[in-house]
Amino acid sequence: MSPMIRLQMSNDLRQTFQQLFEAPPQAYAFLQGSPAYPDLWGEALMYPCWGGTLFFAEVQGLPQNPGPCKRDIYGFHIHTNPSCSGTPDHPFANVGPHWDLDHCPHPAHTGDLPPLFASCGYALTLFYTRRFLPEETVGHTLIIHSTVDDFTTQPSGAPGEMIACGQILANESI
């Protein structure tokens, strides 16, 4: 039997996690795959926290890359426009560029997020940022790309095709 690891958190962090599961998110998005990825779906929840945002996302149905050195890592960004519409050849063509309040180069755009690391087509992420507040994301779109963002190539990190999209909405129940 392996020894149990004892996780020690500050009281502030412990209280934040407890509140996370008791309070509704301030903004959210339901992600849906493009026609080429119909089984891809997920949700993102944004909570106000410590003058910024605690961002939680769960995604299922991500493509699985074969082989022993899988690269199941996907670019993840907030884009400027509110619509996931597009054309048959480019399903999410109307999302616009990465959301960028301060006119910074990539990867310092306001909407540049940590990539999704998947296992067996499933990804779960939780991170904290002060780049934006949850209410500031409302009216933008959340995009999952087919490959990892290289964090270098301008203007967007060369993350591949857009494979899922969700409109970010305000939680009207709070």
Side-chain angles (χ1 to χ4, degrees):
M1 179 186 290
S2 63
M4 182 171 282
I5 297 172
R6 182 175 168 91
L7 179 65
Q8 295 197 10
M9 291 187 271
S10 70
N11 284 336
D12 194 29
L13 184 58
R14 189 181 317 275
Q15 289 173 343
T16 298
F17 281 129
Q18 183 176 4
Q19 290 172 0
L20 174 68
F21 296 110
E22 293 175 357
Q26 197 169 48
Y28 66 94
F30 293 116
L31 294 148
Q32 182 62 51
S34 70
Y37 299 90
D39 297 327
L40 178 76
W41 61 278
E43 71 177 336
L45 308 172
M46 289 162 261
Y47 299 86
C49 179
W50 301 323
T53 299
L54 192 59
F55 190 108
F56 172 84
E58 180 179 26
V59 181
Q60 298 184 35
L62 288 160
Q64 297 179 51
N65 297 308
C69 300
K70 298 180 189 183
R71 288 200 45 155
D72 292 340
I73 307 170
Y74 303 90
F76 198 35
H77 306 105
I78 298 173
H79 284 249
T80 303
N81 296 336
S83 173
C84 289
S85 66
T87 66
D89 291 338
H90 302 285
F92 308 125
N94 296 325
V95 297
H98 293 182
W99 178 41
D100 185 22
L101 293 174
D102 299 318
H103 309 289
C104 296
H106 184 76
H109 297 143
T110 310
D112 289 340
L113 306 177
L116 293 173
F117 286 82
S119 181
C120 300
Y122 178 81
L124 179 69
T125 189
L126 174 68
F127 63 88
Y128 169 75
T129 183
R130 290 190 79 165
R131 287 186 178 188
F132 54 82
L133 297 170
E135 65 266 19
E136 294 174 315
T137 67
V138 173
H140 298 289
T141 45
L142 190 58
I143 291 287
I144 299 173
H145 294 271
S146 62
T147 60
V148 67
D149 182 327
D150 69 12
F151 298 102
T152 302
T153 303
Q154 296 302 319
S156 62
E161 74 175 297
M162 298 176 195
I163 61 173
C165 183
Q167 183 180 10
I168 302 174
L169 304 169
N171 189 344
E172 301 296 332
S173 68
I174 57 173

